[in-house]
Amino acid sequence: MTADYAARPPDFSAAAIRNRVLPVLGLAAAAAILFSGFVEDAPNRLVSGRPVSLWAAAGIWPSAAIALFAALLLAAALLPQKRALSCVIAVAAALALLAGLAAAGMAARTLLAGAAPAARIALGPAFWVVEATAAFAILDALQRLAAGPLARLLAVAAIAAAIAAVALSGSLDSLAIAREYESRHAAFAAALWRHILIVALSIGPALLIGFPLGVAAAKLPRLRGPLFAFLNLLQTVPSVALFGLLIVPLSELAKAAPRLAAFGIGGIGLAPALIALVLYALLPVVRNTAAGLLGVDRGVVEAGRGMGLSPGQLLWQVELPLSLPVLLAGLRIVTVQAIGLAVVAALIGAGGLGTFVFQGLGQYAVDLVLLGALPAIGLALFADFALRSLSAILFPAAPR
């Protein structure tokens, strides 16, 4: 036994590290703070700024708070992973996330004191890494706590409320992205609602068309192959190319039928955007509908048939209720996809948050790009989280 022990010494590192996620997050946060700028100081909104470290911009206390958070993650990885420790990590990560926001606002106010009116303070790489590591630490803690959908919803709502409170307090008003918003707040509100409208108007027809096709694909095996081949082909067409391909036929249709043009049908605008988004949404809807129906236990279907249920009754009373978790997963995929593709629809005059993205790209104004991109990302994350929570509440035993 002694010889075997000497030949194969024990691996203490594997036993010492109880959580392999936390040291990665802690090292990432520490490296970002040490080797990259927390904010960027630019003479105006159109040029790249010089990176400014966290301690040089915001002082010692915010730097110490975030460094303490990184050290806590590294230390917590070596401790037994108990519920109390996970709670501490979740609270500390939430505080670090808020501290990062407050530090960025403090840095902007400090650097802009006495600067020219055109000067801008943008968020640097270290800020995004710190915020991302804090968010991932919160998710890891909630997962280890086996938090239910209601607990996760309350946690996210509390963090969102705290972030909103920081923003409404005026602490972030000196940041470049806040100044971009201040000069466009009316247009931003209109673009946000337009974006939500585009997504809603595209999901509705996609469900109305895709659900019957999914049922047909589940019931008719001969149709399944050609249908999915066509829908997969649609997915391979780049979104910009599909928008462009729709311009000519819709323009000609508007010329041939002026009444359609009066309703907004044309080569550019809302109509081609909705058509393209509906076409892209069909594959997830059809595939998940067919997969959900085909995944229903055949024994249950045969039992329903033995009770004298008709095919229609079997579909609506047995198969459809049992396949709802898969159908909700398809709706989640479609919603997130539509939110992202609606950004590109701004290229053909559909409006929405993509307007700021492409204006910013044209002007080389990064913060204007972020003004459109960050809310779109937030909408996608909110839709994904809301639909996941709904599925978990309605079907707690369903796999996700």
Side-chain angles (χ1 to χ4, degrees):
M1 182 182 296
T2 305
D4 292 341
Y5 183 80
R8 294 181 298 170
D11 184 5
F12 291 104
S13 62
I17 299 178
R18 310 295 182 92
N19 185 332
R20 297 183 181 275
V21 175
L22 296 183
V24 174
L25 296 178
L27 290 173
I33 293 173
L34 291 174
F35 301 114
S36 63
F38 193 74
V39 294
E40 295 182 352
D41 185 3
N44 58 64
R45 64 192 289 269
L46 302 179
V47 299
S48 300
R50 64 178 182 88
V52 182
S53 63
L54 174 60
W55 53 88
I60 187 63
W61 292 113
S63 306
I66 296 176
L68 182 62
F69 165 67
L72 174 63
L73 294 183
L74 293 173
L78 305 176
L79 299 175
Q81 301 300 300
K82 298 182 178 180
R83 292 183 62 84
L85 179 63
S86 296
C87 291
V88 170
I89 292 172
V91 173
L95 292 176
L97 191 148
L98 296 174
L101 281 173
M106 186 185 304
R109 290 195 303 273
T110 302
L111 294 172
L112 287 178
R120 292 290 188 272
I121 305 300
L123 300 170
F127 169 83
W128 297 112
V129 173
V130 168
E131 297 299 291
T133 53
F136 282 126
I138 293 171
L139 292 175
D140 180 71
L142 291 176
Q143 187 172 19
R144 290 180 182 276
L145 287 169
L150 182 58
R152 296 190 182 198
L153 184 62
L154 291 175
V156 171
I159 294 171
I163 293 173
V166 172
L168 293 174
S169 68
S171 303
L172 310 179
D173 289 352
S174 298
L175 289 170
I177 188 171
R179 298 176 72 173
E180 294 286 356
Y181 169 78
E182 184 61 29
S183 63
R184 296 172 173 82
H185 62 275
F188 176 83
L192 179 61
W193 286 114
R194 178 77 169 187
H195 201 95
I196 295 173
L197 178 66
I198 292 171
V199 173
L201 291 178
S202 61
I203 291 176
L207 294 176
L208 291 175
I209 298 171
F211 177 72
L213 289 177
V215 174
K219 302 297 182 182
L220 303 173
R222 291 185 178 181
L223 177 65
R224 204 174 302 155
L227 177 61
F228 283 124
F230 174 72
L231 295 177
N232 283 321
L233 179 63
L234 285 178
Q235 292 288 321
T236 64
V237 180
S239 57
V240 176
L242 185 56
F243 289 138
L245 290 173
L246 291 172
I247 291 177
V248 174
L250 289 178
S251 298
E252 294 299 323
L253 181 61
K255 290 179 182 178
R259 290 186 178 181
L260 293 178
F263 286 101
I265 305 298
I268 59 174
L270 187 61
L274 292 180
I275 293 173
L277 291 179
V278 169
L279 291 176
Y280 278 122
L282 285 178
L283 178 62
V285 174
V286 175
R287 186 177 294 279
N288 279 64
T289 302
L293 295 176
L294 292 172
V296 175
D297 188 351
R298 292 297 97 189
V300 176
V301 176
E302 291 300 326
R305 212 175 264 128
M307 294 172 61
L309 296 180
S310 66
Q313 290 174 324
L314 276 174
L315 174 64
W316 292 102
Q317 298 179 22
V318 178
E319 294 175 302
L320 189 57
L322 292 176
S323 62
L324 273 179
V326 182
L327 299 183
L328 275 177
L331 177 61
R332 177 173 55 84
I333 294 170
V334 167
T335 304
V336 173
Q337 176 182 278
I339 291 171
L341 290 175
V343 173
V344 186
L347 281 174
I348 55 171
L353 295 170
T355 304
F356 298 118
V357 173
F358 294 109
Q359 284 180 0
L361 290 174
Q363 301 173 22
Y364 194 63
V366 176
D367 291 289
L368 186 54
V369 175
L370 292 177
L371 185 62
L374 289 180
I377 295 171
L379 281 176
L381 292 176
F382 173 77
D384 180 80
F385 177 76
L387 290 171
R388 279 183 184 273
S389 299
L390 178 63
S391 179
I393 292 171
L394 295 177
F395 311 102
R400 278 171 292 279

